Amino acid sequence: MKAGKLRDNLIAQAEAARLSKADLAGPEGLEAALPALAARSAVPVSVEVHDVGRLDPTTEAIAYFVVSEALTNVAKHSGAQHAEVVVTADGEQLTATVTDDGVGGADPASGTGLTGLRQRVTAVDGTLDVTSPEGGPTALTATLPLRTGRSLR
């Protein structure tokens, strides 16, 4: 990776970390943080967060970062007119899905963005699935195990 691109990626990650800490600080956690994140997106985004409540800080931070990076990718690469974020929890896992109506063709094997997301998610025994046929749409789904006994509820 070229030095300039590496520097830009590090700056973007630092900014996401700073924003996630501020956005996740309130009592609503992801339920407030993700709409705030979507409001800053260059592409219009609808957000649905269903009864997630407060989770352990690691799970919240990873989910926030995944959605943040996915929305950045939508704005930079997809040509989308709209994106959607849906987050649910079922007592055992949190699922965060970001879809867009763009051109598709996202390849997890090329570039560093999707690889970095996969590494973050798998570090906590989660999964990251990307479906992005040429012509679109693209759907990115992160599934993270809930770490019982560590939630902020």
Side-chain angles (χ1 to χ4, degrees):
M1 176 183 295
K2 294 184 178 182
K5 190 166 186 165
L6 178 60
R7 179 183 45 93
D8 291 346
N9 283 341
L10 290 173
I11 290 169
Q13 287 180 8
E15 179 68 3
R18 183 186 68 76
L19 290 172
S20 70
K21 190 170 187 178
D23 286 347
L24 291 171
E28 296 87 17
L30 290 170
E31 292 185 26
L34 294 178
L37 176 65
R40 294 190 294 269
S41 176
V43 174
V45 180
S46 60
V47 178
E48 296 178 35
V49 182
H50 299 286
D51 300 321
V52 171
R54 291 309 305 261
L55 306 171
D56 72 274
T58 300
T59 302
E60 284 188 340
I62 291 171
Y64 182 95
F65 185 81
V66 166
V67 172
S68 177
E69 182 70 17
L71 291 178
T72 297
N73 287 345
V74 168
K76 286 174 129 177
H77 306 294
S78 75
Q81 300 299 306
H82 184 263
E84 180 180 38
V85 175
V86 177
V87 179
T88 60
D90 67 5
E92 292 184 19
Q93 63 188 18
L94 175 93
T95 302
T97 301
V98 179
T99 57
D100 69 59
D101 62 0
V103 299
D107 181 4
S110 67
T112 59
L114 293 174
T115 301
L117 287 181
R118 179 164 280 117
Q119 289 170 344
R120 278 183 189 256
V121 169
T122 59
V124 294
D125 297 324
T127 61
L128 183 75
D129 297 308
V130 179
T131 304
S132 187
E134 291 294 332
T138 295
L140 179 146
T141 301
T143 304
L144 302 169
L146 295 179
R147 298 159 45 136
T148 57
R150 298 181 182 184
S151 77
L152 299 176
R153 291 179 195 230

mmCIF file with all atom_site columns, all heavy atoms in Angstrom, residues 23-34 53-54 60:
data_model
loop_
_atom_site.group_PDB
_atom_site.id
_atom_site.type_symbol
_atom_site.label_atom_id
_atom_site.label_alt_id
_atom_site.label_comp_id
_atom_site.label_asym_id
_atom_site.label_entity_id
_atom_site.label_seq_id
_atom_site.pdbx_PDB_ins_code
_atom_site.Cartn_x
_atom_site.Cartn_y
_atom_site.Cartn_z
_atom_site.occupancy
_atom_site.B_iso_or_equiv
_atom_site.pdbx_formal_charge
_atom_site.auth_seq_id
_atom_site.auth_comp_id
_atom_site.auth_asym_id
_atom_site.auth_atom_id
_atom_site.pdbx_PDB_model_num
ATOM 1   N N   . ASP A 1 23 ? -20.281 9.313  20.011 1.00 0.00 ? 23 ASP A N   1
ATOM 2   C CA  . ASP A 1 23 ? -21.643 8.898  19.675 1.00 0.00 ? 23 ASP A CA  1
ATOM 3   C C   . ASP A 1 23 ? -22.157 7.796  20.597 1.00 0.00 ? 23 ASP A C   1
ATOM 4   O O   . ASP A 1 23 ? -23.339 7.742  20.903 1.00 0.00 ? 23 ASP A O   1
ATOM 5   C CB  . ASP A 1 23 ? -21.711 8.401  18.232 1.00 0.00 ? 23 ASP A CB  1
ATOM 6   C CG  . ASP A 1 23 ? -21.645 9.530  17.213 1.00 0.00 ? 23 ASP A CG  1
ATOM 7   O OD1 . ASP A 1 23 ? -21.785 10.701 17.602 1.00 0.00 ? 23 ASP A OD1 1
ATOM 8   O OD2 . ASP A 1 23 ? -21.447 9.219  16.025 1.00 0.00 ? 23 ASP A OD2 1
ATOM 9   N N   . LEU A 1 24 ? -21.287 6.896  21.031 1.00 0.00 ? 24 LEU A N   1
ATOM 10  C CA  . LEU A 1 24 ? -21.710 5.776  21.869 1.00 0.00 ? 24 LEU A CA  1
ATOM 11  C C   . LEU A 1 24 ? -21.758 6.116  23.349 1.00 0.00 ? 24 LEU A C   1
ATOM 12  O O   . LEU A 1 24 ? -22.138 5.276  24.153 1.00 0.00 ? 24 LEU A O   1
ATOM 13  C CB  . LEU A 1 24 ? -20.769 4.579  21.648 1.00 0.00 ? 24 LEU A CB  1
ATOM 14  C CG  . LEU A 1 24 ? -20.871 3.916  20.283 1.00 0.00 ? 24 LEU A CG  1
ATOM 15  C CD1 . LEU A 1 24 ? -19.757 2.897  20.098 1.00 0.00 ? 24 LEU A CD1 1
ATOM 16  C CD2 . LEU A 1 24 ? -22.228 3.280  20.080 1.00 0.00 ? 24 LEU A CD2 1
ATOM 17  N N   . ALA A 1 25 ? -21.397 7.334  23.701 1.00 0.00 ? 25 ALA A N   1
ATOM 18  C CA  . ALA A 1 25 ? -21.321 7.709  25.118 1.00 0.00 ? 25 ALA A CA  1
ATOM 19  C C   . ALA A 1 25 ? -22.692 7.834  25.776 1.00 0.00 ? 25 ALA A C   1
ATOM 20  O O   . ALA A 1 25 ? -22.818 7.672  26.977 1.00 0.00 ? 25 ALA A O   1
ATOM 21  C CB  . ALA A 1 25 ? -20.548 9.018  25.278 1.00 0.00 ? 25 ALA A CB  1
ATOM 22  N N   . GLY A 1 26 ? -23.724 8.101  25.015 1.00 0.00 ? 26 GLY A N   1
ATOM 23  C CA  . GLY A 1 26 ? -25.044 8.310  25.598 1.00 0.00 ? 26 GLY A CA  1
ATOM 24  C C   . GLY A 1 26 ? -25.691 7.022  26.057 1.00 0.00 ? 26 GLY A C   1
ATOM 25  O O   . GLY A 1 26 ? -25.226 5.920  25.752 1.00 0.00 ? 26 GLY A O   1
ATOM 26  N N   . PRO A 1 27 ? -26.791 7.138  26.775 1.00 0.00 ? 27 PRO A N   1
ATOM 27  C CA  . PRO A 1 27 ? -27.450 5.955  27.338 1.00 0.00 ? 27 PRO A CA  1
ATOM 28  C C   . PRO A 1 27 ? -28.111 5.050  26.301 1.00 0.00 ? 27 PRO A C   1
ATOM 29  O O   . PRO A 1 27 ? -28.387 3.898  26.592 1.00 0.00 ? 27 PRO A O   1
ATOM 30  C CB  . PRO A 1 27 ? -28.505 6.548  28.278 1.00 0.00 ? 27 PRO A CB  1
ATOM 31  C CG  . PRO A 1 27 ? -28.745 7.922  27.772 1.00 0.00 ? 27 PRO A CG  1
ATOM 32  C CD  . PRO A 1 27 ? -27.451 8.378  27.165 1.00 0.00 ? 27 PRO A CD  1
ATOM 33  N N   . GLU A 1 28 ? -28.333 5.537  25.072 1.00 0.00 ? 28 GLU A N   1
ATOM 34  C CA  . GLU A 1 28 ? -29.001 4.732  24.058 1.00 0.00 ? 28 GLU A CA  1
ATOM 35  C C   . GLU A 1 28 ? -28.047 3.895  23.218 1.00 0.00 ? 28 GLU A C   1
ATOM 36  O O   . GLU A 1 28 ? -28.482 3.064  22.434 1.00 0.00 ? 28 GLU A O   1
ATOM 37  C CB  . GLU A 1 28 ? -29.844 5.615  23.127 1.00 0.00 ? 28 GLU A CB  1
ATOM 38  C CG  . GLU A 1 28 ? -30.990 6.312  23.829 1.00 0.00 ? 28 GLU A CG  1
ATOM 39  C CD  . GLU A 1 28 ? -30.545 7.644  24.422 1.00 0.00 ? 28 GLU A CD  1
ATOM 40  O OE1 . GLU A 1 28 ? -29.482 8.164  24.034 1.00 0.00 ? 28 GLU A OE1 1
ATOM 41  O OE2 . GLU A 1 28 ? -31.265 8.161  25.287 1.00 0.00 ? 28 GLU A OE2 1
ATOM 42  N N   . GLY A 1 29 ? -26.742 4.103  23.320 1.00 0.00 ? 29 GLY A N   1
ATOM 43  C CA  . GLY A 1 29 ? -25.774 3.304  22.570 1.00 0.00 ? 29 GLY A CA  1
ATOM 44  C C   . GLY A 1 29 ? -25.984 3.378  21.075 1.00 0.00 ? 29 GLY A C   1
ATOM 45  O O   . GLY A 1 29 ? -26.132 4.454  20.504 1.00 0.00 ? 29 GLY A O   1
ATOM 46  N N   . LEU A 1 30 ? -26.013 2.213  20.429 1.00 0.00 ? 30 LEU A N   1
ATOM 47  C CA  . LEU A 1 30 ? -26.141 2.149  18.976 1.00 0.00 ? 30 LEU A CA  1
ATOM 48  C C   . LEU A 1 30 ? -27.452 2.745  18.477 1.00 0.00 ? 30 LEU A C   1
ATOM 49  O O   . LEU A 1 30 ? -27.510 3.265  17.367 1.00 0.00 ? 30 LEU A O   1
ATOM 50  C CB  . LEU A 1 30 ? -26.036 0.701  18.497 1.00 0.00 ? 30 LEU A CB  1
ATOM 51  C CG  . LEU A 1 30 ? -24.664 0.052  18.606 1.00 0.00 ? 30 LEU A CG  1
ATOM 52  C CD1 . LEU A 1 30 ? -24.758 -1.447 18.318 1.00 0.00 ? 30 LEU A CD1 1
ATOM 53  C CD2 . LEU A 1 30 ? -23.674 0.716  17.667 1.00 0.00 ? 30 LEU A CD2 1
ATOM 54  N N   . GLU A 1 31 ? -28.503 2.675  19.289 1.00 0.00 ? 31 GLU A N   1
ATOM 55  C CA  . GLU A 1 31 ? -29.802 3.185  18.851 1.00 0.00 ? 31 GLU A CA  1
ATOM 56  C C   . GLU A 1 31 ? -29.769 4.684  18.586 1.00 0.00 ? 31 GLU A C   1
ATOM 57  O O   . GLU A 1 31 ? -30.528 5.180  17.763 1.00 0.00 ? 31 GLU A O   1
ATOM 58  C CB  . GLU A 1 31 ? -30.893 2.819  19.857 1.00 0.00 ? 31 GLU A CB  1
ATOM 59  C CG  . GLU A 1 31 ? -31.139 1.323  19.875 1.00 0.00 ? 31 GLU A CG  1
ATOM 60  C CD  . GLU A 1 31 ? -32.285 0.887  20.768 1.00 0.00 ? 31 GLU A CD  1
ATOM 61  O OE1 . GLU A 1 31 ? -33.198 1.688  21.015 1.00 0.00 ? 31 GLU A OE1 1
ATOM 62  O OE2 . GLU A 1 31 ? -32.257 -0.272 21.212 1.00 0.00 ? 31 GLU A OE2 1
ATOM 63  N N   . ALA A 1 32 ? -28.887 5.420  19.240 1.00 0.00 ? 32 ALA A N   1
ATOM 64  C CA  . ALA A 1 32 ? -28.710 6.845  18.966 1.00 0.00 ? 32 ALA A CA  1
ATOM 65  C C   . ALA A 1 32 ? -27.502 7.106  18.078 1.00 0.00 ? 32 ALA A C   1
ATOM 66  O O   . ALA A 1 32 ? -27.505 8.021  17.255 1.00 0.00 ? 32 ALA A O   1
ATOM 67  C CB  . ALA A 1 32 ? -28.555 7.616  20.279 1.00 0.00 ? 32 ALA A CB  1
ATOM 68  N N   . ALA A 1 33 ? -26.457 6.301  18.244 1.00 0.00 ? 33 ALA A N   1
ATOM 69  C CA  . ALA A 1 33 ? -25.209 6.555  17.524 1.00 0.00 ? 33 ALA A CA  1
ATOM 70  C C   . ALA A 1 33 ? -25.335 6.317  16.025 1.00 0.00 ? 33 ALA A C   1
ATOM 71  O O   . ALA A 1 33 ? -24.776 7.079  15.229 1.00 0.00 ? 33 ALA A O   1
ATOM 72  C CB  . ALA A 1 33 ? -24.095 5.668  18.097 1.00 0.00 ? 33 ALA A CB  1
ATOM 73  N N   . LEU A 1 34 ? -26.045 5.285  15.614 1.00 0.00 ? 34 LEU A N   1
ATOM 74  C CA  . LEU A 1 34 ? -26.112 4.979  14.186 1.00 0.00 ? 34 LEU A CA  1
ATOM 75  C C   . LEU A 1 34 ? -26.927 6.001  13.395 1.00 0.00 ? 34 LEU A C   1
ATOM 76  O O   . LEU A 1 34 ? -26.514 6.390  12.297 1.00 0.00 ? 34 LEU A O   1
ATOM 77  C CB  . LEU A 1 34 ? -26.604 3.556  13.967 1.00 0.00 ? 34 LEU A CB  1
ATOM 78  C CG  . LEU A 1 34 ? -25.624 2.491  14.476 1.00 0.00 ? 34 LEU A CG  1
ATOM 79  C CD1 . LEU A 1 34 ? -26.192 1.092  14.265 1.00 0.00 ? 34 LEU A CD1 1
ATOM 80  C CD2 . LEU A 1 34 ? -24.251 2.627  13.829 1.00 0.00 ? 34 LEU A CD2 1
ATOM 81  N N   . GLY A 1 53 ? -30.645 -1.988 22.687 1.00 0.00 ? 53 GLY A N   1
ATOM 82  C CA  . GLY A 1 53 ? -30.221 -1.569 24.019 1.00 0.00 ? 53 GLY A CA  1
ATOM 83  C C   . GLY A 1 53 ? -28.716 -1.396 24.094 1.00 0.00 ? 53 GLY A C   1
ATOM 84  O O   . GLY A 1 53 ? -28.026 -1.333 23.084 1.00 0.00 ? 53 GLY A O   1
ATOM 85  N N   . ARG A 1 54 ? -28.209 -1.317 25.308 1.00 0.00 ? 54 ARG A N   1
ATOM 86  C CA  . ARG A 1 54 ? -26.757 -1.179 25.494 1.00 0.00 ? 54 ARG A CA  1
ATOM 87  C C   . ARG A 1 54 ? -26.111 -2.549 25.508 1.00 0.00 ? 54 ARG A C   1
ATOM 88  O O   . ARG A 1 54 ? -26.611 -3.488 26.108 1.00 0.00 ? 54 ARG A O   1
ATOM 89  C CB  . ARG A 1 54 ? -26.445 -0.457 26.816 1.00 0.00 ? 54 ARG A CB  1
ATOM 90  C CG  . ARG A 1 54 ? -26.811 1.006  26.860 1.00 0.00 ? 54 ARG A CG  1
ATOM 91  C CD  . ARG A 1 54 ? -26.275 1.829  25.693 1.00 0.00 ? 54 ARG A CD  1
ATOM 92  N NE  . ARG A 1 54 ? -24.849 1.784  25.459 1.00 0.00 ? 54 ARG A NE  1
ATOM 93  C CZ  . ARG A 1 54 ? -23.978 2.702  25.850 1.00 0.00 ? 54 ARG A CZ  1
ATOM 94  N NH1 . ARG A 1 54 ? -24.375 3.760  26.509 1.00 0.00 ? 54 ARG A NH1 1
ATOM 95  N NH2 . ARG A 1 54 ? -22.705 2.566  25.572 1.00 0.00 ? 54 ARG A NH2 1
ATOM 96  N N   . GLU A 1 60 ? -20.309 -2.914 20.726 1.00 0.00 ? 60 GLU A N   1
ATOM 97  C CA  . GLU A 1 60 ? -20.842 -1.653 20.220 1.00 0.00 ? 60 GLU A CA  1
ATOM 98  C C   . GLU A 1 60 ? -19.840 -0.950 19.312 1.00 0.00 ? 60 GLU A C   1
ATOM 99  O O   . GLU A 1 60 ? -20.193 -0.455 18.243 1.00 0.00 ? 60 GLU A O   1
ATOM 100 C CB  . GLU A 1 60 ? -21.231 -0.723 21.371 1.00 0.00 ? 60 GLU A CB  1
ATOM 101 C CG  . GLU A 1 60 ? -22.519 -1.105 22.039 1.00 0.00 ? 60 GLU A CG  1
ATOM 102 C CD  . GLU A 1 60 ? -22.999 -0.074 23.054 1.00 0.00 ? 60 GLU A CD  1
ATOM 103 O OE1 . GLU A 1 60 ? -22.186 0.757  23.526 1.00 0.00 ? 60 GLU A OE1 1
ATOM 104 O OE2 . GLU A 1 60 ? -24.196 -0.103 23.356 1.00 0.00 ? 60 GLU A OE2 1
#
